Amino acid sequence: MERGEKAYGDPGNLAKGPNVDLVICSTRVSKHLATVGPSLKAGKDVIVEWPLGKSLPDAKELLRLKKEGGEASCRQPSIKTAPLIKKLKELVDGESIGKVLNSSWMGQGGQQMESVTKGVEYLGIGEYRGNLITIRFGHQIDYFQQVIKVIDFPAGQQIGTFIKDTDDTIFLVGILSNGAPISYAFRGGKPFKRVPGIDWRIYGEKGEIKISADIPFISIFDGGIQVLVHDFETDEVIEVEIEKDGLGKLPMEARNVGRVYGAFRKGVDNCTFEDAMERVEFLDLLELENGHIVK
């Protein structure tokens, strides 16, 4: 190790480190509470990768520890910093398509169909709570809800040497705050060859926005992204340019995380623990409504 860095083998000792300014948690979901709980209690600045703990009780405890620790800055990597999401929100809020009447989202990608990669078997084990719903769907419904708000929504199989008991497919039907319906369909596995991994439509009174990309995780990866706006009055289709920033040279996985770190350095809160609680409560309700027992 260089420049006098110190390694800690215990979260409690890390929390006591006098020279520790920021604690970043990217461990398996089921270990979030144990990993950063002591640092939150000690008042350290903390960033936790999504989701916030493995369950609603975990998230509530993390939020309680954050408040107990005082003025610590507690964030989660946020899609609000992604240039694409900023542009989509600008298009919707800016009335380029008028009042939103409907939105549909369809995507495919990631793991968790017939197999998972060695080393991430936890994606197929329900008790670990790191799966298609909590991670992939959590990220996607987050950027979905940043662009257009949703307020309502109406058995395992054997793989290799363990029993997989997490979901492969998600369907969501919801209602926007203005009463317009939305639909969402997502499955794990590879997209159909030469077909976009996401087809997202936002239909308004004056026009429609169409978003497509190689994979559906557009808040993190920006491969093959295209945004088109159909103006009903002129009957023209315009391709929208997404603004670039100085992080374009980084690997795709690092770009939005880099934006979070940049915001932290400037003292900007893009996504607090309180924000994350809204998503955790939504996922908890969704699973309970569908007969899942969340521990």
Side-chain angles (χ1 to χ4, degrees):
M1 300 180 72
E2 300 178 358
R3 301 190 304 277
E5 292 96 337
K6 184 176 181 180
Y8 295 88
D10 177 81
N13 291 333
L14 173 65
K16 296 174 184 177
N19 297 319
V20 176
D21 298 318
L22 173 65
V23 177
I24 300 169
C25 177
S26 58
T27 62
R28 196 175 71 201
V29 176
S30 58
K31 296 183 179 293
H32 284 184
L33 179 56
T35 301
V36 300
S39 293
L40 289 170
K41 192 171 183 178
K44 298 287 188 184
D45 287 331
V46 172
I47 292 178
V48 179
E49 178 56 88
W50 175 264
L52 184 62
K54 69 175 184 178
S55 63
L56 183 57
D58 259 27
K60 288 181 177 179
E61 178 62 9
L62 285 165
L63 182 58
R64 186 191 70 79
L65 289 171
K66 174 252 183 181
K67 293 178 178 178
E68 181 181 320
E71 297 301 318
S73 174
C74 302
R75 298 172 173 82
Q76 287 215 291
S78 171
I79 55 83
K80 294 179 183 178
T81 58
L84 171 63
I85 305 306
K86 289 181 179 179
K87 175 57 69 174
L88 292 177
K89 186 168 178 56
E90 177 186 313
L91 290 171
V92 173
D93 292 348
E95 293 292 313
S96 65
I97 61 170
K99 177 183 175 181
V100 173
L101 302 178
N102 179 279
S103 181
S104 62
W105 188 106
M106 180 176 291
Q108 315 86 37
Q111 301 189 40
Q112 288 189 253
M113 283 301 282
E114 72 286 350
S115 64
V116 295
T117 301
K118 183 175 177 58
V120 290
E121 291 89 349
Y122 64 85
L123 291 172
I125 301 175
E127 66 178 289
Y128 292 149
R129 301 292 298 148
N131 53 55
L132 200 71
I133 292 179
T134 59
I135 297 178
R136 302 300 194 189
F137 175 72
H139 277 292
Q140 290 152 18
I141 202 64
D142 193 21
Y143 69 65
F144 193 107
Q145 289 182 288
Q146 291 296 334
V147 177
I148 48 177
K149 295 290 184 181
V150 179
I151 62 170
D152 199 5
F153 61 92
Q157 55 181 306
Q158 186 168 357
I159 297 183
T161 58
F162 69 94
I163 301 298
K164 179 177 177 295
D165 60 355
T166 56
D167 295 293
D168 296 319
T169 306
I170 301 169
F171 296 102
L172 175 72
V173 176
I175 304 295
L176 302 183
S177 55
N178 68 357
I182 63 99
S183 62
Y184 171 103
F186 178 59
R187 67 155 173 80
K190 294 181 179 180
F192 194 89
K193 192 171 183 178
R194 293 191 293 274
V195 173
I198 175 178
D199 183 351
W200 182 12
R201 311 292 182 94
I202 305 174
Y203 185 88
E205 289 180 320
K206 301 178 182 178
E208 182 176 13
I209 303 171
K210 178 180 183 294
I211 305 102
S212 59
D214 294 343
I215 57 177
F217 316 121
I218 56 176
S219 61
I220 303 173
F221 302 97
D222 55 13
I225 289 177
Q226 184 182 56
V227 179
L228 301 175
V229 177
H230 179 197
D231 186 309
F232 293 161
E233 183 176 355
T234 64
D235 200 30
E236 292 182 338
V237 175
I238 301 171
E239 183 167 358
V240 178
E241 183 177 351
I242 308 301
E243 289 81 2
K244 305 294 184 181
D245 58 22
L247 299 179
K249 296 180 180 179
L250 294 176
M252 281 196 289
E253 298 92 333
R255 294 173 191 173
N256 211 37
V257 175
R259 295 179 185 111
V260 172
Y261 293 164
F264 171 80
R265 186 175 182 179
K266 296 176 182 177
V268 177
D269 277 326
N270 283 309
C271 183
T272 65
F273 275 23
E274 286 82 357
D275 295 329
M277 276 293 295
E278 293 183 18
R279 301 292 180 259
V280 175
E281 289 171 344
F282 177 81
L283 293 177
D284 186 76
L285 178 60
L286 185 148
E287 293 197 286
L288 288 175
E289 288 281 333
N290 287 275
H292 287 215
I293 305 300
V294 182
K295 299 180 180 179

